[in-house]
Amino acid sequence: MRLVAEARDAVRIPDAKVALSTASVYPESTATAFEIAARLGYDGVEVMVWTDPVSQDIEALRRLSDYHRIPVLAVHAPCLLITQRVWSTDPWTKLQRARAAAEKLGASTVVVHPPFRWQRQYARDFVDGVWRMANETDVRFAVENMYPWRYRDREMLAYAPDWDVTKEDYRHFTIDLSHASTARTDTLGMIDRMGDRLGHVHLADGRGSAKDEHLVPGRGDQPCAEVLEGLASSGFDGHVVIEVNTRRAMSSAEREADLAEALAFTRRHLSAASTIEAPRR
């Protein structure tokens, strides 16, 4: 019995919580994401604010969180092309509403993309504006790395100031491994450049496709395991969010199996770096 206790004590529980992005259940609903996250044992959810009306309704989200006993750990502001009219057409209003949602729901982080290049005034003010907003709240504004848009042999820089957010001075970053794969950049190098400003992780795999694959971790060539083990070793206390594409799942059961696999992979590698060999007798 003593050996069992010693072995148990030798495992340090990682500080990082593992959350499910509500985008991971698409085309199913935000409400379904809460249900799946609770059933599979995720630590919380990240709400992707998009065209699903429930994702835009703070009171509806609060009720889902209370009913399933699953906290909202992060709010992803509506920055996608398909959400240009969600929560206003003004990008600063979107960020203000995302911050208010995070504060009311008890979430610690707002995830935001850099502006599209055609949002010229927003792009010019973005770095300073995010700093101003970050100074007004305890909520982290974690700016997410993106990627060049590619078509055949042509490349278009769609984001400003840059898709590589480490080229600018932000208080907090989100690293998205699928985006790093699509950008064909060195993921570990980008994490090194982020340093202690890395506050949030979107975990997904990729194979360098221009399509931003968001594969289940372990199914591509990104260093997902190495990243997780590095986070655990460094005492990372942010959130690791499973943000994968399950649109090709043939059934709800297959989708849930993918999300269970992603959670098991993440927990296994977060714990691996924290485990030491139990004393021999």
Side-chain angles (χ1 to χ4, degrees), residues 54-67:
V54 171
S55 74
Q56 305 169 31
D57 186 330
I58 295 172
E59 289 309 312
L61 294 169
R62 193 198 308 278
R63 289 193 296 271
L64 283 168
S65 178
D66 290 345
Y67 178 78

Side-chain angles (χ1 to χ4, degrees), residues 48 76-77 79-81 111-116 126 142-150 156-166 170 173-185 187 190 193-194 202 209-210 212 214 243:
M48 171 69 80
H76 195 309
C79 306
L80 306 176
L81 282 173
V111 179
V112 57
H113 293 179
F116 293 112
F126 184 69
V143 186
E144 183 174 5
N145 62 300
M146 298 305 291
Y147 47 84
W149 289 3
R150 294 189 180 91
M156 182 177 77
L157 300 179
Y159 299 96
D162 203 282
W163 62 263
D164 182 351
V165 293
T166 64
Y170 299 112
F173 294 110
T174 296
I175 181 75
D176 185 302
L177 274 69
S178 178
H179 292 177
S181 176
T182 301
R184 299 169 188 166
T185 193
T187 301
M190 178 172 281
R193 294 195 300 277
M194 290 179 174
H202 281 171
S209 168
D212 187 21
H214 283 274
E243 190 182 77

Side-chain angles (χ1 to χ4, degrees), residues 19-35:
L20 178 66
S21 169
T22 59
S24 295
V25 307
Y26 183 82
E28 296 194 66
S29 67
T30 300
T32 300
F34 276 84
E35 179 184 345

Side-chain angles (χ1 to χ4, degrees), residues 31-262:
T32 300
F34 276 84
E35 179 184 345
I36 292 174
R39 186 161 55 244
L40 295 181
Y42 278 82
D43 297 317
V45 300
E46 174 178 302
V47 174
M48 171 69 80
V49 180
W50 56 358
T51 54
D52 181 348
V54 171
S55 74
Q56 305 169 31
D57 186 330
I58 295 172
E59 289 309 312
L61 294 169
R62 193 198 308 278
R63 289 193 296 271
L64 283 168
S65 178
D66 290 345
Y67 178 78
H68 292 289
R69 298 183 181 179
I70 194 85
V72 176
L73 299 179
V75 174
H76 195 309
C79 306
L80 306 176
L81 282 173
I82 63 170
T83 60
Q84 292 299 288
R85 295 186 177 277
V86 172
W87 279 1
S88 170
T89 56
D90 175 60
W92 291 114
T93 300
K94 292 173 183 283
L95 294 195
Q96 290 164 0
R97 292 190 64 172
R99 178 185 66 192
E103 290 171 342
K104 290 176 181 176
L105 293 167
S108 64
T109 304
V110 167
V111 179
V112 57
H113 293 179
F116 293 112
R117 295 188 74 84
W118 55 83
Q119 296 175 302
R120 294 181 181 177
Q121 186 60 50
Y122 180 45
R124 278 194 292 269
D125 298 339
F126 184 69
V127 178
D128 290 341
V130 169
W131 269 100
R132 284 195 302 271
M133 295 190 72
N135 287 333
E136 297 168 356
T137 180
D138 292 332
V139 173
R140 293 177 174 181
F141 280 85
V143 186
E144 183 174 5
N145 62 300
M146 298 305 291
Y147 47 84
W149 289 3
R150 294 189 180 91
Y151 179 71
R152 294 181 180 173
D153 59 346
R154 301 182 65 181
E155 184 175 286
M156 182 177 77
L157 300 179
Y159 299 96
D162 203 282
W163 62 263
D164 182 351
V165 293
T166 64
K167 293 182 179 180
E168 302 297 331
D169 179 27
Y170 299 112
R171 179 176 290 175
H172 292 109
F173 294 110
T174 296
I175 181 75
D176 185 302
L177 274 69
S178 178
H179 292 177
S181 176
T182 301
R184 299 169 188 166
T185 193
D186 176 3
T187 301
L188 297 176
M190 178 172 281
I191 289 174
D192 284 343
R193 294 195 300 277
M194 290 179 174
D196 60 8
R197 291 183 292 170
L198 175 60
H200 202 68
V201 176
H202 281 171
L203 189 68
D205 219 328
R207 303 190 192 96
S209 168
K211 294 182 179 180
D212 187 21
E213 297 163 289
H214 283 274
L215 303 175
V216 170
R219 297 184 185 178
D221 56 20
Q222 282 293 290
C224 296
E226 189 174 351
V227 168
L228 291 169
E229 290 165 15
L231 292 174
S233 296
S234 69
F236 177 74
D237 62 354
H239 305 319
V240 177
V241 179
I242 304 300
E243 190 182 77
V244 296
N245 184 346
T246 63
R247 274 174 275 184
R248 292 187 177 180
M250 299 302 291
S251 65
S252 295
E254 183 178 332
R255 174 171 293 109
E256 192 163 326
D258 284 346
L259 299 177
E261 178 184 331

